[in-house]
Structures are given as structure tokens and as C-alpha cells.
Amino acid sequence: MAIYPEIKTHRLKEHLSEEVVRIRGLKKSFGSNKVLDGFDLSLYRSENLVVLGKSGSGKSVLIKCIIGLLEADEGEIHVLGHSIPELDHEELDQIRVKLGFLFQSNALYDSMTVRENLEFPLRRHWIVVTQDQVDQMVREALENVGLGHTLDMMPIELSGGMRKRIALARTLILRPEIILYDEPTTGLDPITAGEINELMVSIRERYKTSSLIISHDMKCVRETADRVVILIDGKCYAEDSYDGLSRSKDKKIRDFFE
Amino acid sequence: MTTVIREYDLLQQINQGKGTDLIKIIKLNIPLKVRPFLEEAGGLAGFTGKFFAEGFRPRYEFQEFIRQCFIIGYKSLPLVGLTGFIMGLVLTMQLRPNLVQYGLESALPGMVGIAIVREIGPVITALIFAGKIGSSIGAELGSMKVTEQIDAMEVSGTNPFKYLVFTRVLATTLMLPILVILSDAISLYGSYIGINIRGATSFGFYWDEVFRNLTFGDVMPAFVKTYFFGFAIGLVGCHKGYHSNKGTEGVGRSANSAVVLSSILVFLIDLISVQITDLMGLN
Ligand SMILES: Nc1ncnc2c1ncn2[C@@H]1O[C@H](COP(=O)(O)OP(=O)(O)OP(=O)(O)O)[C@@H](O)[C@H]1O
Ligand SMILES: [Mg+2]
């Protein structure tokens, strides 16, 4: 199986002209633990790109580097044309408004109600001024994920799947251009996971967002991916559509499909 | 990793009879014991530096600060009041027999007053505060850290250090002195009741006696040190939580070590403060 340096097979290629995220030669290690070792990736406008990798392969580290939560050791990270390592704090905040992040552990604030959780990014980014606008955006975001009735509940009162959806609503409330999903379906039952997959697809249709989905759940990959990148040993090992990869004879790639 | 190897080397040396070389033992042993301590101290110092470097620049998290003052100060009141009351009462009842023996019963209010205001009130209240607030800050920030809530704040246009750490440390620093004053007052009231279990002292006379014996040199250093106690407790709790390890076990450990370390610091600060007041001739 050849390693694909550029996209070769892709049917969407024509309107995938604009690179919204561009990563070249990304390196990140913790002490002697080399997690990312020259990783390359391009995310094009309004595509769903899945990064597939084993547990501990550095998927979370990768998207934390993209959003600037971790500092890369080396390499180029461009988001919407801005070089993330060169930005100062304020500039980074401005980019982060356009970047949604769905955390692996949801990261809902335990001490706040669902409403306060959703209001938090709005208020902190100084986006909306009037209470009416805030209320409307919160209600709309909750209805988008089908949980309008949970407005005044605490995160601890919700089930795992509901929490994931609230977290998704909080990510969507700023209408980001790019969404980074960190293992959106891990730990959920197959039915709930299926609902989350549907949501991710419908979000793309509705808001024309570009998504980078981190996963090792093959059902999620099949249902959401336009294109798949496989991360092995800190590098981009292969890149193709789901069908293309599923026909691969390479041992390391086959492992994911079995 | 290095520590394990060094410990092993040391054992080897001792087993081979080379261990009698005292210099060698000291050379090997000191880095072993001192290094974690220095690392801890360095981490805490860095955290303190960050507190002063970042905290006093805008944007100010006023709302969160008020909320923390309420949680940290107001909600500790019942516990601090109860322990203070018992402390004053018990102290009085235990001192009393000895003083009666020497016919010094009338010195009881003055003695208890000095003991409570100078030492017992501040230190016991600080220790209780460390147990209640230090551990809850450690656990709260620890669980926020491992469930990525701190990261989530950062990507939502918030500086989590300012929002979480600065507000809490400031709140503990400002609330503990107030709690200590209240605790002192309640303790002294407890002491009044303790005196009246056996004897009969009027309320007015009791307070006159207490205040007649208290000087500026008793009150001021005791008051000032409580700010440092509060600062140390808040800072250690936040430091431990903020640098919590992954997993729920990490959260428990943060809470636990926050209490242990801040309790030790309370005594260290107490020790330093008594030296300083001594040097300044304030006793
Ligand atoms: N802050 C950190 N400090 C030290 N090591 C870290 C840190 N964050 C991640 N690592 C290490 O980086 C490696 C990759 O971690 P990462 O969380 O990215 O894995 P992952 O691919 O997201 O796995 P999972 O599917 O389990 O979430 C692991 O070996 C981990 O120990
Ligand atoms: Mg991960």
C-alpha cells in the first residue's frame, strides 16, 4: 500500500480547493516519548476528515496542537491562513471563536447548569450583548441537538449521551467554521453513537463546516468520513476514502478494519 | 527512574561494605531526599510568581471572585464557629484547675484571651480551613483538569489561571482573616461560658479582663499572619489541583497532598512570624 502524500482518489477534490487547516512536519514529544514525528495533514473547506489511530497514538495531542492548547516542538500549523505557533494570546482567542472543539471527556462545567455551560463561550468571547440574544442562541443550540428540556439541569443529572450532545451544542453555539471532534462516539452505546454520527453529518450539511474527527470507531468513520487519514507512529501512514482503505491489503491498515 | 537506580546503588554499596564511607553515603543520599523537595518548592515558587505576574493584569474576574468569597468564606462559618466555641470552652476548663491551685483564677480571662488571639485561634482556624477549603479546591481543580474543563475554558476565551486560580487564592487570602476574627470572638465567648460553669464572672468584667491584657503586639502580628496562612492554603490547593495527574486517583491525591502541604506551611509561617515579631520587639 502506497503512502499518499497528496489526495489522489478524491471525488470531492474540485470544491475542496481551500485548505482551512494545514499541518506539515509536526513534531511533539513529551520527554523521550515521541508522540508526533513529522505529521502532515490538510483539511479542506466543508469536508469531514477522520484521523484514525490506535489509543495512545497521539490523536488528542494532534488536535490540541491545532487549537493551541499544546505547543508543537517543530513544524507548521496553519488554521484559516494563520500560523498558530506565531499568534499571541489575543489573536489565538480570535481564531478560537471560529474553531469548535468537542472534548473527549465532554468537559462540561460541573458547577454550572446546562444554560450557563452554553452561555459561557458566548459571554467570554464578548460575542453577544443582550440577554434576549443569548437566550435565543442557547435555545436554538439545544434544539439543534434535541435537548431543549434540559436547560436548567446540572451536567451530573444527564446521561453520557446527553452530555455529549450538550457538549456538542456548546461547541456549535459560536457557529464555528471548523469543528475538531475528539472521539465523539467513544464510550457510547451503538444507538447513541449512531445518533451522534447523524448529528455530525447534518451539522456539516447545515452549516457547511469543515470537520476534523478523531476516532477509532469504524462505524463512526464509515458514516461520517469523506476522507480518512491513518496516524501510525506519529506519522500520516495512509490517506484515502473509507472504501479505498477498506480494500487495502496493508497489514497495519487491515488491523483497523478487523 | 533515577531515584530508583540511586537507591539501589546505595544499597549495593552498603552491602559491599563500602557503605561505611560516610561521604559517599551523604553524596548519594542527599540528592535523593532533597530533590523532590526542591522540585516541589520550585513548582510552588513558579506558581506564586505566575500569580503575581498574571493576576493583577486585566481582565479581572470580579464575579467569580465574589462567588468564591461566598463559597470559601460564608460556607466555612458554621464549622469555624463550632470548633472555635469548643476550643475556647475546653481550653478554659482545662486551665482552670491549675490556676485555682495557685489562687490565680482571676487571671483566667487574660490568659485565655492571649492564647486564643495570638496562637490558637489563627492556627487552629487555619488548619480547619486547610482541611475544608484546601482539599475542596484541590479536588475541584483536579477534577476540572482531568476532565479537560480547564482546557475547555482556555479555548472559550478565558484565562483559566485567572478565572480559577487567582480568584480562589485571593478569596482564601481575604476570607481567612475574617474567619479568624470571628472564630476568636466565638472562642472567647466559649471561654466565658467555661468560666461560668464553675465560677461566676460577669459578662462585662470578663471582656474587660480580656481586652485589658491584649496589646497591639498581641493582636497585630496574629492578624497579619492569617493573611499569609490564607494565601498559602489557597495557593497550595490550586497548585495541587491545577497540576493533577490523569485519573480519579490523581484527583484524590491532589486533595490529600493539598491538605498535608498547606498544614505544614501554616506551621512554618507561624514559626517565621514568631521570629519576626520577636526581632521587631513586638512582644
Ligand atoms: N500532557 C502530557 N504530558 C505527558 N505526556 C502526554 C501528555 N499528553 C499526552 N501525553 C502522551 O502522549 C501520548 C498520546 O496521548 P493522546 O492522549 O494523544 O492519545 P490518543 O491517541 O488521544 O489516545 P486515546 O484514544 O486513548 O484518547 C500518550 O503516550 C500520552 O502518555
Ligand atoms: Mg484522546
Side-chain angles (χ1 to χ4, degrees):
Chain A
M1 171 87 197
I3 296 169
Y4 294 88
E6 289 296 336
I7 311 170
K8 283 179 183 166
T9 54
H10 216 267
R11 67 197 148 84
L12 289 170
K13 192 170 180 185
E14 306 83 72
H15 72 268
L16 291 180
S17 48
E18 194 195 341
E19 256 181 325
V20 287
V21 177
R22 177 188 164 84
I23 294 177
R24 291 294 177 271
L26 179 62
K27 291 189 180 175
K28 175 77 190 171
S29 32
F30 297 98
S32 58
N33 178 10
K34 271 191 190 168
V35 179
L36 295 175
D37 189 18
F39 185 78
D40 300 329
L41 172 147
S42 297
L43 174 68
Y44 295 92
R45 189 167 287 286
S46 58
E47 75 164 334
N48 275 357
L49 172 64
V50 173
V51 175
L52 193 57
K54 281 190 296 194
S55 190
S57 57
K59 304 182 299 301
S60 298
V61 170
L62 167 69
I63 48 175
K64 284 185 179 168
C65 286
I66 295 176
I67 204 161
L69 281 171
L70 286 173
E71 240 171 82
D73 298 336
E74 230 178 275
E76 174 194 329
I77 306 171
H78 277 94
V79 174
L80 298 166
H82 302 271
S83 170
I84 294 292
E86 286 160 31
L87 298 182
D88 67 23
H89 237 285
E90 265 165 48
E91 293 165 326
L92 204 53
D93 274 347
Q94 283 163 16
I95 294 292
R96 282 168 176 168
V97 176
K98 299 177 188 161
L99 261 176
F101 196 133
L102 184 69
F103 285 88
Q104 190 168 353
S105 49
N106 300 332
L108 293 179
Y109 307 121
D110 296 326
S111 58
M112 302 182 196
T113 62
V114 168
R115 182 205 299 271
E116 287 163 342
N117 262 286
L118 294 186
E119 284 177 0
F120 193 86
L122 290 177
R123 296 194 187 286
R124 305 303 301 190
H125 281 302
W126 307 107
I127 292 193
V128 192
V129 259
T130 71
Q131 185 61 41
D132 281 351
Q133 279 173 300
V134 173
D135 284 345
Q136 198 194 332
M137 288 173 91
V138 168
R139 215 170 309 122
E140 200 182 308
L142 277 181
E143 271 153 23
N144 264 336
V145 297
L147 287 174
H149 60 286
T150 59
L151 200 59
D152 291 309
M153 288 164 91
M154 298 300 282
I156 201 150
E157 299 170 272
L158 305 171
S159 74
M162 288 161 97
R163 259 182 262 174
K164 186 62 82 184
R165 284 200 257 172
I166 301 289
L168 189 53
R170 188 178 67 182
T171 308
L172 290 176
I173 203 162
L174 293 175
R175 292 283 164 79
E177 288 178 37
I178 305 166
I179 306 181
L180 310 172
Y181 297 93
D182 194 353
E183 304 200 15
T185 57
T186 303
L188 300 176
D189 65 84
I191 297 170
T192 316
E195 288 168 5
I196 299 284
N197 292 341
E198 275 169 34
L199 265 175
M200 289 193 287
V201 173
S202 77
I203 286 163
R204 199 268 302 266
E205 314 270 87
R206 257 167 84 187
Y207 302 117
K208 303 281 174 271
T209 48
S210 328
S211 308
L212 184 68
I213 302 163
I214 302 281
S215 188
H216 51 210
D217 167 6
M218 293 317 287
K219 184 161 172 281
C220 166
V221 180
R222 192 176 64 235
E223 287 177 8
T224 58
D226 297 323
R227 197 156 61 88
V228 182
V229 164
I230 296 188
L231 167 61
I232 297 177
D233 295 334
K235 291 190 178 67
C236 170
Y237 185 78
E239 175 181 339
D240 203 338
S241 65
Y242 178 87
D243 292 333
L245 286 174
S246 66
R247 285 193 295 269
S248 161
K249 302 225 161 37
D250 187 276
K251 172 83 178 59
K252 286 184 177 172
I253 296 174
R254 289 244 49 91
D255 281 350
F256 284 100
F257 289 83
E258 274 148 19
Chain B
M1 199 59 208
T2 47
T3 11
V4 176
I5 291 164
R6 280 199 187 126
E7 225 155 38
Y8 179 76
D9 284 349
L10 193 64
L11 279 176
Q12 284 277 319
Q13 296 231 339
I14 293 170
N15 285 342
Q16 289 164 8
K18 291 180 201 158
T20 42
D21 188 346
L22 196 65
I23 305 274
K24 239 183 203 164
I25 290 189
I26 290 173
K27 261 191 189 157
L28 280 166
N29 210 0
I30 282 184
L32 202 78
K33 294 274 168 5
V34 167
R35 210 168 133 203
F37 172 76
L38 287 182
E39 271 170 11
E40 184 75 61
L44 206 55
F47 207 67
T48 315
K50 200 172 171 192
F51 176 87
F52 288 107
E54 289 206 5
F56 295 100
R57 268 186 278 139
R59 121 193 216 188
Y60 302 113
E61 307 289 357
F62 194 69
Q63 216 180 344
E64 177 66 10
F65 168 67
I66 297 294
R67 201 174 77 89
Q68 287 306 322
C69 284
F70 177 77
I71 293 172
I72 288 170
Y74 183 72
K75 294 204 168 165
S76 306
L77 269 179
L79 185 66
V80 163
L82 178 71
T83 49
F85 180 79
I86 294 174
M87 207 162 62
L89 184 80
V90 170
L91 187 69
T92 309
M93 290 180 68
Q94 292 191 336
L95 274 176
R96 187 189 173 91
N98 279 311
L99 291 179
V100 169
Q101 210 175 350
Y102 299 106
L104 287 173
E105 202 184 344
S106 60
L108 199 49
M111 274 186 72
V112 171
I114 287 181
I116 285 174
V117 169
R118 287 189 73 144
E119 179 65 14
I120 298 177
V123 170
I124 299 278
T125 309
L127 291 179
I128 286 168
F129 193 73
K132 180 172 159 59
I133 300 299
S135 68
S136 85
I137 291 179
E140 187 193 9
L141 294 201
S143 79
M144 290 187 78
K145 167 87 182 182
V146 302
T147 58
E148 299 174 305
Q149 291 174 52
I150 292 184
D151 285 343
M153 281 196 170
E154 176 139 19
V155 302
S156 300
T158 301
N159 179 338
F161 190 88
K162 275 189 188 165
Y163 189 85
L164 299 171
V165 175
F166 187 74
T167 53
R168 279 167 178 73
V169 176
L170 207 59
T172 56
T173 311
L174 297 178
M175 289 299 111
L176 183 60
I178 298 175
L179 287 172
V180 168
I181 291 175
L182 288 168
S183 160
D184 283 358
I186 294 171
S187 281
L188 290 172
Y189 184 71
S191 165
Y192 167 73
I193 289 180
I195 287 176
N196 275 297
I197 288 176
R198 284 289 163 83
T201 304
S202 82
F203 197 64
F205 177 75
Y206 171 78
W207 288 104
D208 274 352
E209 274 299 297
V210 169
F211 284 116
R212 203 170 53 79
N213 284 287
L214 283 176
T215 61
F216 178 79
D218 294 325
V219 177
M220 213 49 208
F223 183 64
V224 171
K225 75 182 171 190
T226 55
Y227 282 100
F228 288 91
F229 290 166
F231 182 75
I233 292 165
L235 199 79
V236 169
C238 288
H239 175 64
K240 288 292 176 187
Y242 211 74
H243 299 291
S244 194
N245 290 324
K246 262 219 159 10
T248 39
E249 189 210 13
V251 175
R253 211 173 13 223
S254 305
N256 179 265
S257 55
V259 177
V260 174
L261 185 58
S262 56
S263 304
I264 294 172
L265 280 180
V266 164
F267 283 110
L268 277 179
I269 294 168
D270 200 35
L271 182 69
I272 295 169
S273 94
V274 81
Q275 304 296 336
I276 293 175
T277 42
D278 199 45
L279 283 176
M280 285 167 66
L282 271 177
N283 45 11

